[in-house]
Amino acid sequence: MVLGNILSSLASVQWTDVGTVLLMFFIFLLISYHLRNRKPRNYPPGPTPLPFIGNVFNLDAKQPHIHLTKMSAQYGNIFSLRLGSLNTVVVNTYSLVKKALIDHANIFTGRPTNDVLKRIIKCQGVTFNNGYSWKQQRRFTLSTLKYFGVGKRSLEVIIMEEYKFLHQTIMETNGLPFDPHYFINNAVSNIICNMVFGRRFEYTDQRFLNMLSLMSKALKLQTSVWIQLYSVFPYVMDLLPGPHKDLFSCFHQVCAFIKEEVDKHYADWDPSSPRDFIDCYLTEIQKRKDDLEAGFHEEGLQYAVLDLFVAGTETTSTTLLWAFVYMMKYPEIQEKVQEEIDKVVGRSRRPNIDDRPSMPYTDAVIHEVQRMGNVVPLSVPRMTNEDTILESYYIPKGTQIIPNLTSVLFDQTKWKSPYSFDPQNFLNDQSKFEKPEAFIPFSAAPKNFPPGPWSLPIIGDLHHIEHNKIHLQVAKFAEKYGDILSIRFLGPRIVMLNGYKRVKEVYLQQGDNLADRPVLPMIYDIAEDKGLIGASGYKWKHQRRFALSTLRNFGLGKKSLEPSIHLECCFLNETISNENGRPFNPQILLNNAVSNVICVLVFGNRFEYSDNDFQNLLKNINEAVYLDGSIWAQLYNMFPWLMRQLPGPHKKSFALWQNVIDFAREKVNAHRVDYDPSNPRDYIDCFLAEMEKLEDDTAAGFDVENLCICALDLFVAGTETTSTTLYWGLLYMIKYPEIQAKVQEEIDCVVGGSRQPSLSDRDNMPYTNAVIHEIQRSGNIVPLNLPRATVEDTLIGKYSIPKGTAVIGSLTSVLFDESEWETPHSFNPGHFLDAEGKFRKRVAFLPFSLGKRVCPGEQLARMELFLFFSSLLQCFTFSSPAGVEPSMDYKLGTTRCPQPYKLCALSR
Ligand code: HEM
């Protein structure tokens, strides 16, 4: 309408009038500005921006972080502004900042650019660079700093040396008032100077002090209104005086200082003996002179050094200055820190990094200084690399994102006392140091998170994944992205490890860091954090230790369990012979027989194969295990709030599990009626006794509810896995009758027909043993492994993985690793036999996984597999029903199970 009126009035304009022309030009600018900056649908709300200058004057330039945090009360936790020339979205609160910077890490990694940055650093270096050049510069910078000591002991020596100078200088003030700003700035800066320039600067070096002061001034000027105006009207502002000119001048002088240092390096640079970062960069310039896009040239060096210099000086020294302020303000806290230092370190030596774990209070105080000091209150802005959706808001590619760290470090839902200086924020009930998840003063995103396929905003990588083949697709992704990659298919991004070497290295080297399980909504809604399989931390450690020692007492992995398995073999063989060679599906029978072994240990009794209730329960478990690995479970884990409201197979899974939990609860209740602590019959009795012993330690999880889930876990894990392996075993035997015949030949020769095979025969039956191992390898029944979660922020390979990230070491990639197995994709017992036909172990045989959470049932399973399998083949010859070709198709849920099949068992 407005546009229509303007157009219709054009006809009556006097075009020779200069004023009219200017007015029309202005109207033209307004219209084109309006068209260019129209907000897309569903864009986050926010204050209306003025034409050209946006919301520059809506912000309190002195305390923008406080102002922005207040604005979220009006516009919500995601709101929009137009700052300078950039459309900007501010993200508030821990959960949203995490969602953006960690869960959607690859979308929010860009850096915005504007005319100010272009002019100051020409978008080179590391901090404000993007794309290929950013990746190259960052990789080079990180590896070079590591080479010069970052994260290593050698750096501690440099810091201790610098401390001596600082100490000396402070002593010289003789207790008189002094401004610590420049000493601290200088001391902190010297650490990075050592690595970058290869030397430190005296606290009296005026040239260096002047440079530090210019840098502080420039950082303050950077957030002023003038700079925002510059980014809108660069050409006009270039003509005007004002603080923006000071900013350019400050940076210009700092760069001149750096250039001087670089020139000095050039003079005596010896590429074969690099002294520092500058020397290494000079070598890199030579090496990569043909790769222009990587940005390794003299100017790039200047800006890379500027980045390190600014980042390595201002942030740490400002935090230390805050620390002094807080210690002066709270002398009682200062005293408590000193008391701890005296106790742990004493006065005769300096504290070192090994003291930190013994100094939880001091550590908590330092973290609290960082939290309250809040030195980068709005983080460094990011930019979206592609169109995305955050909490139902549409955010187009190229939008500037401000992660409001202030809203995170003072998030009322995350801190015990968000607004006061209180070290208790970092101490648990036992006064141990504990870092809450919302402590992200360095900003959240692991920029070097493992790469992976391009995921869609809501459905993640589901469009790349063929559900029934996900375990095979991981290897394909690995070809493209490397053996540490990430996929989004269970909610947030999951780190996948591919191949024997990588899985082994990470699971063993990062053992303690990889001992948790991720919280998956589906599992949580069934069993919360209870049981053995899904629990983490303190509770899991206690429960695992207890389960292992108790089951061992009842024979797990020992000879004493053999008679009970022998008995079960007899029942199984008898029931199979009743089929009289007719085709039948052995699945539930195998399930029942295997289950009885663990049932005796956990519940104290076995179940008849004619017990229909028990058979139904086993069928329910089968189906629930399948549903838990289905696409429905994935959707549930991604959108729990939605899926809880919708009908579908996921609801069935809850009903099935409830049925199994009720079964376990009934057993527990029956035990409580006639339990005699002096004569424990099984795992449940021992647990009841432990409940009495540890009633004060509620965190260890010895309570009735947890008992029900632990019993359930043992029952399910002890049934499904081993019986599915046997189900594969019989399928391979009907598929490869010649292999079956060779096993039977060995059984006949070593055991004969008059007695049952026993564990002591195993060493004399290398072929049978090799066949069982090959069944486990090819059967690959837990193809993706169970997911682990990182206990704390962890480095995997060269990637930073934040605490709580799900990590999966793909067992398929290990059991079929082409560099480990001669014929990975064929069923070949020869994998486990040497040239003389003797059994040989293989390092990549890891069906039970490895590391801290390696399957605790391995010994039991191996015993069962040998005894059941050899006993079955001793008594029967198995074949496919006449005219039926055995199919190796499978169903993929949590386990990989053969599609239902029938076989015939002929007595021998
Ligand atoms: C062929 C048989 C079996 C296979 C292939 C198998 C495989 C596995 C695998 C791959 C894991 C995950 C380990 C990890 O997170 O790294 C696991 C965990 C587990 N398994 Fe087994 N398993 C088998 C038999 C059993 C049996 C007989 C029991 C009964 C005692 C059992 C009890 C468990 C439990 C309780 C866990 C969870 C351990 C934890 O989270 O600390 N498994 N199993």
Side-chain angles (χ1 to χ4, degrees):
M1 189 61 185
V2 177
L3 195 63
N5 289 343
I6 293 173
L7 289 174
S8 61
S9 61
L10 285 181
S12 54
V13 166
Q14 277 293 342
W15 289 101
T16 47
D17 177 349
V18 175
T20 309
V21 171
L22 281 179
L23 177 70
M24 292 319 294
F25 181 62
F26 183 67
I27 292 173
F28 167 77
L29 283 183
L30 263 185
I31 294 172
S32 70
Y33 173 87
H34 175 74
L35 292 177
R36 231 177 337 122
N37 292 296
R38 255 182 319 184
K39 286 184 185 170
R41 269 183 61 199
N42 233 5
Y43 191 68
T48 312
L50 289 172
F52 307 115
I53 56 171
N55 298 106
V56 168
F57 291 110
N58 285 85
L59 269 189
D60 172 354
K62 286 209 175 105
Q63 296 195 311
H65 57 298
I66 297 189
H67 194 132
L68 288 178
T69 308
K70 282 191 187 144
M71 277 171 89
S72 67
Q74 189 179 350
Y75 297 104
N77 285 328
I78 302 179
F79 62 88
S80 62
L81 292 169
R82 195 167 160 78
L83 293 182
S85 57
L86 295 174
N87 283 326
T88 302
V89 166
V90 184
V91 182
N92 294 276
T93 74
Y94 166 71
S95 66
L96 289 172
V97 170
K98 174 180 171 284
K99 198 168 266 177
L101 303 199
I102 295 183
D103 301 350
H104 296 90
N106 53 348
I107 297 176
F108 289 83
T109 45
R111 287 283 189 216
T113 183
N114 57 35
D115 283 287
V116 182
L117 291 170
K118 277 186 203 150
R119 174 138 180 208
I120 299 173
I121 53 165
K122 309 212 172 113
C123 300
Q124 296 177 22
V126 180
T127 314
F128 285 96
N129 204 337
N130 274 312
Y132 178 74
S133 172
W134 166 69
K135 273 197 190 132
Q136 305 307 312
Q137 297 285 333
R138 182 178 163 100
R139 191 172 303 150
F140 168 80
T141 304
L142 286 180
S143 69
T144 309
L145 290 184
K146 212 167 174 196
Y147 177 77
F148 285 110
V150 169
K152 293 191 199 157
R153 281 281 143 152
S154 50
L155 192 63
E156 194 174 348
V157 178
I158 296 177
I159 299 175
M160 301 265 246
E161 276 301 304
E162 191 59 46
Y163 174 73
K164 277 193 207 152
F165 291 107
L166 182 64
H167 180 229
Q168 174 65 27
T169 311
I170 294 179
M171 290 295 282
E172 283 164 12
T173 62
N174 289 322
L176 294 171
F178 69 100
D179 176 355
H181 188 159
Y182 284 108
F183 297 163
I184 296 293
N185 229 340
N186 203 333
V188 168
S189 191
N190 273 343
I191 310 297
I192 195 83
C193 288
N194 253 303
M195 282 183 276
V196 175
F197 302 123
R199 67 183 179 116
R200 62 179 296 278
F201 295 86
E202 292 299 336
Y203 302 165
T204 47
D205 182 333
Q206 281 311 319
R207 181 173 151 264
F208 189 67
L209 285 177
N210 180 40
M211 217 266 315
L212 289 179
S213 124
L214 286 169
M215 209 160 66
S216 294
K217 187 172 164 193
L219 289 177
K220 278 193 201 102
L221 283 172
Q222 240 182 344
T223 51
S224 77
V225 171
W226 293 92
I227 300 307
Q228 303 226 19
L229 289 175
Y230 187 95
S231 73
V232 188
F233 310 112
Y235 302 110
V236 182
M237 296 295 285
D238 262 340
L239 303 173
L240 300 178
H244 55 294
K245 295 269 164 137
D246 292 349
L247 175 82
F248 299 135
S249 151
C250 286
F251 273 113
H252 186 73
Q253 292 179 64
V254 175
C255 285
F257 172 90
I258 294 172
K259 184 158 183 332
E260 250 178 64
E261 291 295 319
V262 171
D263 288 346
K264 278 189 214 152
H265 274 68
Y266 255 133
D268 52 3
W269 166 51
D270 170 7
S272 64
S273 167
R275 298 156 294 186
D276 49 36
F277 180 84
I278 295 180
D279 273 0
C280 291
Y281 203 105
L282 291 175
T283 310
E284 200 70 9
I285 293 177
Q286 283 204 333
K287 263 204 264 165
R288 316 227 357 205
K289 57 177 179 289
D290 295 331
D291 185 2
L292 294 179
E293 271 180 54
F296 287 96
H297 39 67
E298 245 184 77
E299 210 175 38
L301 166 57
Q302 234 179 69
Y303 295 121
V305 171
L306 177 68
D307 273 350
L308 288 176
F309 202 28
V310 174
T313 302
E314 274 300 308
T315 45
T316 316
S317 67
T318 310
T319 310
L320 279 173
L321 289 170
W322 273 116
F324 290 138
V325 174
Y326 282 117
M327 291 306 95
M328 285 190 290
K329 181 144 176 78
Y330 302 105
E332 67 289 0
I333 294 182
Q334 179 173 179
E335 260 168 44
K336 275 188 83 175
V337 171
Q338 287 169 329
E339 206 176 284
E340 191 175 65
I341 297 175
D342 288 348
K343 195 167 124 226
V344 178
V345 184
R347 302 274 173 102
S348 58
R349 67 169 176 89
R350 298 266 165 256
N352 64 45
I353 207 74
D354 290 336
D355 294 318
R356 190 156 61 178
S358 325
M359 296 168 69
Y361 190 77
T362 310
D363 212 2
V365 169
I366 295 170
H367 279 79
E368 185 64 354
V369 168
Q370 278 194 275
R371 188 184 75 82
M372 289 292 284
N374 187 20
V375 298
V376 198
L378 292 175
S379 187
V380 181
R382 300 287 180 91
M383 185 185 68
T384 44
N385 293 335
E386 53 188 74
D387 297 349
T388 186
I389 288 176
L390 188 63
E391 288 292 283
S392 79
Y393 287 118
Y394 175 76
I395 305 180
K397 177 177 172 179
T399 307
Q400 168 166 256
I401 302 292
I402 297 189
N404 183 355
L405 287 190
T406 307
S407 73
V408 177
L409 295 175
F410 297 85
D411 187 329
Q412 291 183 37
T413 62
K414 293 285 164 191
W415 301 96
K416 291 178 201 156
S417 12
Y419 303 115
S420 5
F421 185 85
D422 181 2
Q424 290 304 326
N425 278 319
F426 291 90
L427 292 168
N428 67 13
D429 295 344
Q430 285 98 37
S431 297
K432 292 218 174 89
F433 177 77
E434 208 167 70
K435 206 193 296 177
E437 56 185 1
F439 182 70
I440 47 173
F442 303 113
S443 181
K447 275 227 254 156
N448 58 343
F449 200 71
W454 170 82
S455 52
L456 284 172
I458 296 189
I459 59 163
D461 286 316
L462 285 184
H463 60 299
H464 297 291
I465 292 172
E466 247 182 284
H467 184 72
N468 209 28
K469 292 196 177 143
I470 166 75
H471 60 301
L472 303 173
Q473 281 179 296
V474 175
K476 294 226 172 73
F477 290 139
E479 277 170 24
K480 186 157 176 202
Y481 300 105
D483 57 5
I484 309 174
L485 62 130
S486 66
I487 314 188
R488 248 192 86 207
F489 84 114
L490 279 177
R493 279 201 164 262
I494 288 187
V495 175
M496 285 278 179
L497 309 171
N498 192 68
Y500 163 69
K501 287 206 174 73
R502 184 58 82 180
V503 173
K504 181 182 160 211
E505 174 204 303
V506 175
Y507 270 48
L508 294 185
Q509 283 179 7
Q510 297 286 359
D512 287 328
N513 279 344
L514 220 59
D516 278 356
R517 294 272 185 225
V519 180
L520 298 177
M522 181 100 187
I523 305 293
Y524 191 86
D525 287 358
I526 294 167
E528 296 177 6
D529 59 347
K530 299 190 169 68
L532 278 165
I533 303 180
S536 291
Y538 184 75
K539 186 192 277 178
W540 164 73
K541 269 192 197 136
H542 263 71
Q543 292 301 333
R544 182 168 167 116
R545 194 175 308 142
F546 171 77
L548 270 173
S549 72
T550 308
L551 294 179
R552 250 184 230 133
N553 287 343
F554 287 109
L556 183 110
K558 292 193 201 154
K559 218 96 184 84
S560 57
L561 199 64
E562 200 168 350
S564 138
I565 303 178
H566 271 155
L567 183 68
E568 206 54 55
C569 288
C570 292
F571 288 124
L572 178 64
N573 291 346
E574 193 184 318
T575 313
I576 291 181
S577 68
N578 290 341
E579 297 289 342
N580 287 320
R582 286 185 302 263
F584 74 103
N585 181 346
Q587 187 176 15
I588 282 293
L589 214 53
L590 293 172
N591 239 321
N592 202 334
V594 167
S595 187
N596 276 342
V597 177
I598 191 82
C599 283
V600 169
L601 296 174
V602 176
F603 304 125
N605 66 299
R606 63 177 294 279
F607 295 85
E608 293 299 337
Y609 303 162
S610 53
D611 181 336
N612 282 336
D613 288 346
F614 189 66
Q615 299 254 326
N616 280 335
L617 187 83
L618 294 176
K619 281 188 195 141
N620 286 351
I621 295 177
N622 247 230
E623 193 174 349
V625 168
Y626 169 66
L627 285 174
D628 283 357
S630 71
I631 184 87
W632 292 95
Q634 287 187 33
L635 289 172
Y636 195 98
N637 287 328
M638 285 176 144
F639 316 109
W641 32 271
L642 180 66
M643 297 298 281
R644 279 184 198 119
Q645 317 300 326
L646 297 179
H650 56 291
K651 291 271 163 151
K652 184 158 186 209
S653 166
F654 290 116
L656 295 171
W657 280 122
Q658 196 49 53
N659 190 260
V660 190
I661 295 172
D662 289 346
F663 166 83
R665 183 168 291 116
E666 237 176 69
K667 291 278 159 202
V668 168
N669 288 341
H671 275 67
R672 292 171 84 185
V673 173
D674 55 1
Y675 136 78
D676 169 8
S678 61
N679 185 21
R681 297 157 294 186
D682 47 35
Y683 171 81
I684 294 183
D685 273 358
C686 294
F687 197 105
L688 292 171
E690 200 72 4
M691 272 166 55
E692 285 170 15
K693 268 200 256 160
L694 289 182
E695 66 185 341
D696 293 335
D697 188 359
T698 47
F702 286 97
D703 53 69
V704 172
E705 280 311 304
N706 203 30
L707 166 56
C708 294
I709 306 294
C710 286
L712 167 97
D713 278 354
L714 288 170
F715 171 49
V716 174
T719 301
E720 269 301 300
T721 47
T722 316
S723 68
T724 304
T725 311
L726 285 172
Y727 197 37
W728 275 115
L730 296 186
L731 183 58
Y732 280 115
M733 292 305 97
I734 60 177
K735 172 104 181 142
Y736 301 108
E738 67 290 359
I739 296 181
Q740 179 176 187
K742 275 187 84 173
V743 173
Q744 287 171 326
E745 203 179 293
E746 190 176 65
I747 295 174
D748 292 349
C749 166
V750 177
V751 185
S754 59
R755 65 169 178 89
Q756 283 183 285
S758 122
L759 278 181
S760 51
D761 295 320
R762 191 157 54 183
D763 287 347
N764 302 322
M765 294 164 69
Y767 190 75
T768 309
N769 204 6
V771 169
I772 293 172
H773 278 70
E774 185 65 357
I775 290 169
Q776 280 206 270
R777 188 190 73 80
S778 290
N780 182 25
I781 63 153
V782 196
L784 278 183
N785 210 339
L786 299 186
R788 305 278 190 89
T790 42
V791 177
E792 28 184 78
D793 296 352
T794 304
L795 205 64
I796 294 188
K798 59 184 179 210
Y799 301 110
S800 320
I801 314 294
K803 174 181 170 177
T805 307
V807 177
I808 294 184
S810 154
L811 290 184
T812 306
S813 74
V814 175
L815 296 173
F816 295 82
D817 189 326
E818 294 186 356
S819 50
E820 294 293 328
W821 304 96
E822 296 75 26
T823 53
H825 305 292
S826 340
F827 185 80
N828 173 10
H831 286 137
F832 296 92
L833 294 168
D834 66 14
E836 286 133 51
K838 289 204 186 107
F839 181 79
R840 67 163 171 155
K841 282 189 183 160
R842 301 299 298 261
V843 285
F845 180 71
L846 295 175
F848 300 97
S849 187
L850 76 169
K852 291 274 167 190
R853 291 193 85 135
V854 59
C855 172
E858 175 170 353
Q859 295 304 323
L860 174 64
R862 283 161 48 77
M863 207 167 152
E864 289 184 75
L865 287 177
F866 179 78
L867 292 175
F868 277 117
F869 184 77
S870 54
S871 155
L872 283 166
L873 265 70
Q874 180 190 40
C875 296
F876 305 100
T877 296
F878 296 95
S879 60
S880 202
V884 179
E885 178 57 28
S887 154
M888 305 317 273
D889 283 353
Y890 58 86
K891 261 169 71 172
L892 191 69
T894 310
T895 55
R896 181 180 168 277
C897 181
Q899 286 289 357
Y901 68 89
K902 287 187 175 173
L903 49 64
C904 303
L906 288 182
S907 294
R908 298 181 68 218

